[in-house]
Amino acid sequence: MDCLFCKIVAGEIPAAIVKKTKTFTVFNDITPQAPTHILIIPNQHFENMAEVADADPALAGEIFKAAGEIAAEIGLDSYRMNINTGAGAGQSVFHAHLHLLGGRSFAWPPG
Ligand code: 5GP
Ligand code: ZN
């Protein structure tokens, strides 16, 4: 399968890896939208996070837990987790991922 994030998990495409476990990989986004912009992805290919939660709820939980732990390690007291699902919502890589964004303020609701 020709999947960018599967290649990052396999080490075939370089990335600034923050953490890697048997089940998920954490790396810096190549086009950061905030001072901290980290992606957390399952090592196994799923199209989106809803599919992860459906197929393997424990893995979905691990990914959320990792996001909170990494935010704490970095010292972020406020942060945003973002999950774009479907092209219409801005998903551009169809390997499940959670964005962890921090280090600036985020207006809500978006204007
Ligand atoms: P999406 O738009 O699918 O929610 O998020 C995909 C993210 O992957 C984007 O924020 C984009 O900047 C990031 N991205 C795309 N290609 C690469 C790459 O080759 N390396 C890294 N580290 N991030 C990438
Ligand atoms: Zn993949």
Side-chain angles (χ1 to χ4, degrees):
M1 191 193 313
D2 193 26
C3 170
L4 176 64
F5 285 0
C6 280
K7 288 179 182 165
I8 287 177
V9 171
E12 291 163 18
I13 288 177
I17 305 285
V18 173
K19 181 174 185 171
K20 186 165 183 188
T21 74
K22 269 163 57 176
T23 52
F24 64 85
T25 300
V26 184
F27 54 97
N28 288 319
D29 198 290
I30 204 167
T31 312
Q33 303 299 316
T36 296
H37 188 169
I38 285 170
L39 301 173
I40 306 169
I41 74 170
N43 292 342
Q44 190 185 337
H45 183 89
F46 294 93
E47 185 162 317
N48 57 52
M49 283 300 296
E51 281 196 3
V52 177
D54 187 41
D56 191 345
L59 175 57
E62 276 184 64
I63 288 169
F64 278 102
K65 187 175 174 203
E69 286 174 352
I70 290 158
E73 280 166 22
I74 294 169
L76 294 175
D77 55 358
S78 299
Y79 53 87
R80 175 169 293 179
M81 293 185 199
N82 204 67
I83 297 169
N84 302 325
T85 306
Q91 186 176 3
S92 60
V93 177
F94 290 86
H95 178 129
H97 53 281
L98 182 153
H99 297 257
L100 172 63
L101 297 141
R104 68 167 168 84
S105 69
F106 293 93
W108 189 265

